[in-house]
Amino acid sequence: MTEFTMPSLGADMDEGVLQEWLVGPGDRVRKGDVVAVVETDKAAIEVECFESGTVGQLLVPPGTRVPVGTPLAVIQGEGAPEEQARIAAEQGSPLAAETVAEVPHRERARAPKGAKSEQEPLAHDERPRSRRKAVRERKPVQEPVRTKSPKKSAGQPVRATGSLTHPPPQMSPEAESALGAGPLVRHLAALRGLDLTTLHGTGPGGRITRADVEHAQPPLAPRVRATPYARRLARDLGVDLAALRGTGDGGAVRAADVHTAVRARDGRHEPGGPAERRRDDEQHPHIAVPTDSGAEQRKDTMRRAIADLMSRSKREIPHYYLSTTIDLTAAGDWLRRINRGRPPADRLVPAALLLKAAAVAAQQVPTLNGYWQNDGFVPGPAVNLGVAVSLRQGGLLAPVIHGADTLPPDALMTILKDLVERARRGKLRGSEMTGATLTVTNLGDQGVETVFGVIHPPQVALVGFGAVVERPWAANGMLGVRPLVTATLAADHRATDGAVGARYLTAVDRLLQKPEEL
Amino acid sequence: MTATHTRTTDPAASSDRKTTYREAMREALREALRTDERVFLMGEDVGRYGGCFGVSLGLLEEFGPERIRDAPLSESAFVGAGIGAALAGMRPIVEIMTVNFSLLALDQILNNAATLLHMSGGQLPVPIVIRMTTGAGRQLAAQHSHSLEGWYAHIPGLRVLAPATLTDARYMLAPALADPDPVLIFEHGSLYNVSGDLPADTGPVDIDHAAVRRPGTDVSLITYGGSLPKALAAADDLANDGISAEVVDLRTLRPLDDTTIGDSVARTHRAVVIDEGWRTGSLAAEISARVTEQHFYDLDAPVGRVCSAEVPMPYARRLEEAALPQVDGIVAAARRAVGGPVPTGADAAERQAVTGRAG
């Protein structure tokens, strides 16, 4: 049995909101299956399971904000849960029966297609199963989209943040000794929503005593600290309190924070009349129509997340900057040759070549590819290229292309297109958000020639590409008009010196002169 | 106890005119004595001495000892006599020197004045007006300085008034006398010397409703009596910082005007109650509780309170100042409610009072 924990989906992530469960207890999962949607400050991300097994207990209800590393669910080894459930049912353990009944009642999980029929637990008593079925049958009425469903959170912010405080308790093999603790202790634990297996017993033989239960804090207290007025406003305006950062006493969310979120939202949705709308909201909060909230206030929190990260970067990292102009004649010729026979959709774009060159160069100059950690440089395990993607509504994401140096340009481009598209729809997966060892920002499509970037901590360098422009250029003693691109490097002077950076940019240049080898 | 010896001129001669709180009070008394034969004033030193605070100076000469009656040092006796006179159809105005001494008459006030109407099945109204000073700030030490009006506001059957402005001082007495129930008027000692223009066109004031003395949008400063000037000064300070404070003057401590208080809180979403009484079991506590009961979902911050330190009021000036609600403390509490930066000193003191030993 292992715990599925809140993953860290980026260096700047301390906590996340479990948006939705895509599996339910009893579902079989394989390593890499998407099991949940987690909302970070930046995006709603589909999170994969790290190992195969059967989903046991869901520890965290949807809508809960928890720190990174918090156990979210229990994953049982193959076959285990059925047996356990049967044993529990046969023994007539009231607690086991109760929790089995309660789990589907409380959570709003949904099984991946196909997993349900083959994976229904075998020996549960009928009552919970029928209730569970009822829950599932309602599902099709709901939003079929898997990502964060704005309607849900808008409609039930109070429920999501307030009442679903305790995970349902459930027995597990480790709880056997706890069972010996007696019915009172089990009853108290159930009342408080405590999982006995998580408690430390101080009684004889490590038994859990009544005092242990009474002193134990519920594992989760996700109630958002907010003023009553802010709570009311948030409900009326359809803002999810859990996604707000409170500026009041003790981090309490105040009315101003809700208004800020609403402004951010309205500013985007109704560029024509945000001010008017706001006034209206204030005067008649009760008639304000709840609109979808997540993405809007995410924009606000994303700005703050970026602000925090970039401030940290500029504060902690002594940047040095290098720039070089690269002649793309060879690359351009090669691209034209390659693309000649292809339909437009399959044509290779210069950006793919630039990314590939940046990745291969990083492999050749590995001291730029990695992290600055604990006052030392830690080389990256591979060249995992973060690609800065600007979102239409503002803000940035940097999804990762793993092993970019090993991918052929075509594959690189396919992945790039997919990532950019999904980043903009807010549908990235956890593994696609983490592990970048070097980030590339390409502002060429914005028309600028040079970009001097800010390093994404804890990485040690950032590569920038500007627009490909035609300029007079001297080569081989001749003046000609050639396509040029300005490549820049912002690097951490603690990790490397200018000479290393220069070697890197030179490598990029050299690689782009032989595109056929990329 | 210096008194202003200015003779009040004919009250009919009007347009705004300069006056003091003390003179406004005296004028109200004079008007009451002139217009209703049943009205008489009774209390310690109200006659020959001119009133302990100079309020009734000159009235003895004008109305004679029948109607301006000096009483012996026996609060229970003369308040009881006043209640008897009221029952007999008179309209007595009884002056008790300070609220501290009124406790000697508490039996009369609570067990007789406040209850007779109810206990007689509506047959025995007690139309008495009892005036007394309250509050600190003049170095009169503990036995002359406490603010116990909240205790009286606890008692059903009484109407409790706290005039804080010249207009209220001048025009609250008439409706108080007209009220068939016993009315207690608390005059804050620090207000007597306040001078200003008394608007000419104000008639009898409304003793049922609180007044918004200064409109604002960010925080409601709810206060009364001697703390009103401090709250207004705090509102000025706050305005300099861009915080718009609304100042609500309760005027009537019982029955409390829930509507005006509630409307204000619904506008500003934050409230700070300023009350010179001790925090524990205070009027501020009552108001805070009501705001929370009735307007919880309008609140964007906990209701703040600025009250006196829970000590017998000290004599020493610095200590007395430290024990009383002051402008800095009000500003700090308002800032805390609004969520802005709070200067550390005043804030720490106020916070300590909240969590500190309360009795």
Side-chain angles (χ1 to χ4, degrees):
Chain A
M1 187 192 78
T2 55
E3 279 167 340
F4 171 67
T5 58
M6 173 63 77
S8 173
L9 302 167
D12 49 339
M13 175 174 166
D14 300 322
E15 53 184 20
V17 178
L18 177 80
Q19 234 4 279
E20 193 179 354
W21 280 112
L22 302 176
V23 295
D27 289 337
R28 175 164 294 175
V29 290
R30 280 188 313 264
K31 183 173 189 229
D33 281 355
V34 175
V35 295
V37 178
V38 166
E39 178 156 352
T40 69
D41 286 342
K42 286 189 163 189
I45 291 168
E46 296 179 341
V47 178
E48 303 111 313
C49 193
F50 320 122
E51 67 180 84
S52 305
T54 305
V55 178
Q57 180 187 3
L58 301 181
L59 300 170
V60 171
T64 313
R65 176 178 287 270
V66 295
V68 167
T70 305
L72 300 176
V74 174
I75 308 280
Q76 318 270 13
E78 310 282 330
E82 283 92 337
E83 213 164 295
Q84 268 173 35
R86 189 168 63 239
I87 292 166
E90 276 167 12
Q91 286 175 340
S93 157
L95 188 57
E98 180 189 317
T99 54
V100 169
E102 244 176 49
V103 169
H105 177 63
R106 288 202 191 181
E107 49 88 18
R108 289 179 281 157
R110 190 172 59 211
K113 269 191 191 130
K116 185 171 89 180
S117 56
E118 56 187 80
Q119 274 310 311
E120 279 296 323
L122 302 173
H124 288 176
D125 68 55
E126 279 308 309
R127 192 174 57 97
R129 262 174 75 180
S130 63
R131 283 174 73 180
R132 176 174 183 166
K133 206 172 277 172
V135 169
R136 292 229 170 131
E137 277 162 10
R138 274 208 315 276
K139 281 291 173 186
V141 184
Q142 291 184 347
E143 189 76 39
V145 183
R146 273 189 176 186
T147 48
K148 169 175 165 49
S149 161
K151 265 182 198 149
K152 244 184 270 171
S153 68
Q156 315 174 329
V158 175
R159 187 163 169 234
T161 59
S163 61
L164 275 176
T165 47
H166 306 311
Q170 184 171 338
M171 290 290 100
S172 67
E174 283 83 341
E176 291 301 322
S177 64
L179 286 174
L184 173 64
V185 166
R186 293 206 312 266
H187 175 69
L188 287 175
L191 278 183
R192 286 157 188 255
L194 290 171
D195 181 358
L196 282 175
T197 59
T198 64
L199 297 186
H200 174 68
T202 59
R207 272 193 188 173
I208 295 168
T209 66
R210 178 181 184 171
D212 294 334
V213 174
E214 281 168 351
H215 290 144
Q217 294 298 315
L220 301 163
R223 184 179 165 82
V224 178
R225 195 174 158 91
T227 67
Y229 179 50
R231 214 171 271 285
R232 196 188 86 194
L233 265 183
R235 192 183 61 230
D236 291 345
L237 300 178
V239 173
D240 181 10
L241 275 179
L244 302 185
R245 185 169 302 185
T247 59
D249 208 14
V253 174
R254 301 183 301 141
D257 304 323
V258 178
H259 281 306
T260 305
V262 169
R263 271 196 289 278
R265 169 179 93 186
D266 292 356
R268 195 187 106 200
H269 268 214
E270 290 151 82
E276 196 176 283
R277 165 73 180 281
R278 184 161 70 250
R279 213 176 309 125
D280 201 40
D281 280 351
E282 275 163 8
Q283 280 170 2
H284 312 285
H286 55 283
I287 61 161
V289 184
T291 53
D292 70 332
S293 60
E296 289 76 4
Q297 76 225 357
R298 196 190 304 144
K299 180 190 165 197
D300 197 46
T301 55
M302 172 185 284
R303 198 65 254 163
R304 272 186 295 214
I306 294 173
D308 290 348
L309 192 70
M310 291 298 106
S311 306
R312 190 181 130 205
S313 175
K314 275 290 192 178
R315 197 167 51 237
E316 292 177 0
I317 301 180
H319 287 65
Y320 69 86
Y321 299 96
L322 300 173
S323 165
T324 192
T325 304
I326 298 173
D327 182 355
L328 285 186
T329 308
D333 289 347
W334 182 78
L335 278 177
R336 260 191 302 283
R337 226 172 25 248
I338 293 274
N339 286 336
R340 197 171 293 148
R342 296 187 177 192
D346 292 347
R347 285 182 189 158
L348 206 55
V349 295
L353 272 191
L354 295 176
L355 282 183
K356 181 70 198 278
V360 175
Q363 181 240 319
Q364 293 176 358
V365 185
T367 42
L368 285 175
N369 183 60
Y371 311 108
W372 184 260
Q373 272 169 347
N374 305 324
D375 287 332
F377 175 73
V378 180
V383 179
N384 299 331
L385 218 52
V387 184
V389 176
S390 63
L391 307 180
R392 291 190 186 90
Q393 67 270 26
L396 274 177
L397 284 173
V400 183
I401 302 175
H402 292 272
D405 56 328
T406 63
L407 295 167
D410 275 318
L412 200 61
M413 198 180 70
T414 309
I415 294 174
L416 181 67
K417 271 160 80 175
D418 178 49
L419 278 183
V420 170
E421 202 253 311
R422 282 192 294 121
R424 290 190 169 149
R425 279 193 296 134
K427 293 205 67 178
L428 289 171
R429 293 181 174 193
S431 59
E432 293 162 348
M433 284 294 288
T434 51
T437 55
L438 176 68
T439 299
V440 176
T441 180
N442 183 350
L443 283 184
D445 54 346
Q446 302 296 319
V448 296
E449 285 187 37
T450 315
V451 47
F452 296 101
V454 179
I455 299 167
H456 189 295
Q459 293 167 41
V460 296
L462 181 130
V463 183
F465 290 110
V468 180
V469 290
E470 293 202 328
R471 290 278 186 273
W473 186 254
N476 306 322
M478 294 286 290
L479 198 61
V481 174
R482 288 171 172 246
L484 307 173
V485 69
T486 305
T488 57
L489 179 75
D492 186 339
H493 217 323
R494 296 172 302 181
T496 58
D497 303 321
V500 174
R503 214 159 71 233
Y504 176 83
L505 283 186
T506 313
V508 173
D509 189 350
R510 194 181 57 242
L511 290 162
L512 285 169
Q513 301 315 316
K514 295 186 173 168
E516 63 281 358
E517 291 174 13
L518 281 173
Chain B
M1 303 313 134
T2 52
T4 315
H5 288 263
T6 330
R7 280 280 161 184
T8 316
T9 48
D10 182 7
S14 59
S15 89
D16 291 8
R17 63 205 156 75
K18 204 85 175 163
T19 187
T20 64
Y21 187 91
R22 173 183 291 112
E23 287 163 6
M25 276 286 172
R26 184 187 304 141
E27 209 172 289
L29 286 170
R30 181 179 283 119
E31 180 194 52
L33 288 158
R34 276 184 183 163
T35 51
D36 190 339
E37 280 296 313
R38 298 172 301 171
V39 171
F40 67 95
L41 175 66
M42 177 163 58
E44 293 156 0
D45 284 342
V46 297
R48 259 179 286 280
Y49 189 72
C52 186
F53 296 94
V55 170
S56 51
L57 198 72
L59 295 181
L60 175 65
E61 290 78 0
E62 187 174 348
F63 295 100
E66 282 283 300
R67 304 186 67 197
I68 308 296
R69 306 177 72 96
D70 274 326
L73 290 176
S74 62
E75 282 79 4
S76 185
F78 68 76
V79 171
I83 291 168
L87 286 169
M90 300 296 281
R91 291 290 179 270
I93 302 170
V94 176
E95 179 183 310
I96 302 175
M97 218 176 274
T98 80
V99 68
N100 291 75
F101 308 156
S102 77
L103 300 187
L104 293 161
L106 182 59
D107 172 52
Q108 291 294 349
I109 297 171
L110 169 55
N111 287 326
N112 291 326
T115 50
L116 278 176
L117 182 72
H118 182 80
M119 292 178 71
S120 66
Q123 299 178 75
L124 295 175
V126 187
I128 188 176
V129 172
I130 304 174
R131 298 173 44 235
M132 61 187 105
T133 52
T134 185
R138 294 156 301 139
Q139 282 200 275
L140 294 178
Q143 290 171 332
H144 304 76
S145 299
H146 288 147
S147 292
L148 306 179
E149 54 274 11
W151 293 6
Y152 289 98
H154 176 64
I155 302 171
L158 299 181
R159 181 184 287 274
V160 180
L161 306 181
T165 64
L166 292 179
T167 305
D168 282 2
R170 171 66 186 81
Y171 293 109
M172 267 190 177
L173 186 63
L177 281 165
D179 194 306
D181 293 323
V183 178
L184 271 55
I185 300 179
F186 286 89
E187 300 156 18
H188 196 284
S190 68
L191 292 175
Y192 285 125
N193 284 329
V194 169
S195 65
D197 289 327
L198 183 66
D201 53 349
T202 34
V205 297
D206 173 6
I207 57 170
D208 287 319
H209 293 100
V212 174
R213 298 297 185 198
R214 176 190 173 117
T217 55
D218 294 332
V219 58
S220 298
L221 303 180
I222 301 168
T223 189
Y224 66 91
S227 300
L228 177 65
K230 294 174 181 173
L232 288 168
D236 282 340
D237 280 11
L238 289 164
N240 291 336
D241 298 346
I243 296 172
S244 163
E246 178 154 306
V247 179
V248 177
D249 175 8
L250 295 172
R251 300 210 291 184
T252 301
L253 309 185
R254 183 182 189 99
L256 278 171
D257 178 6
D258 288 331
T259 310
T260 302
I261 298 170
D263 288 352
S264 178
V265 173
R267 270 193 297 278
T268 63
H269 304 294
R270 300 167 193 101
V272 172
V273 189
I274 303 104
D275 173 6
E276 216 181 290
W278 294 303
R279 183 186 309 268
T280 304
S282 59
L283 201 62
E286 174 64 25
I287 293 163
S288 169
R290 288 186 187 215
V291 168
T292 311
E293 277 173 350
Q294 298 165 19
H295 296 277
F296 184 72
Y297 296 103
D298 281 317
L299 285 176
D300 199 26
V303 177
R305 287 193 282 160
V306 183
C307 299
S308 285
E310 306 226 339
V311 293
M313 196 54 64
Y315 170 81
R317 178 179 296 283
R318 293 292 171 85
L319 292 179
E320 186 182 41
E321 285 170 359
L324 285 172
Q326 299 293 358
V327 175
D328 285 353
I330 301 169
V331 168
R335 284 222 185 93
R336 193 156 58 234
V338 174
V342 181
T344 47
D347 182 45
E350 281 304 314
R351 274 190 193 257
Q352 195 150 28
V354 173
T355 53
R357 185 171 62 95

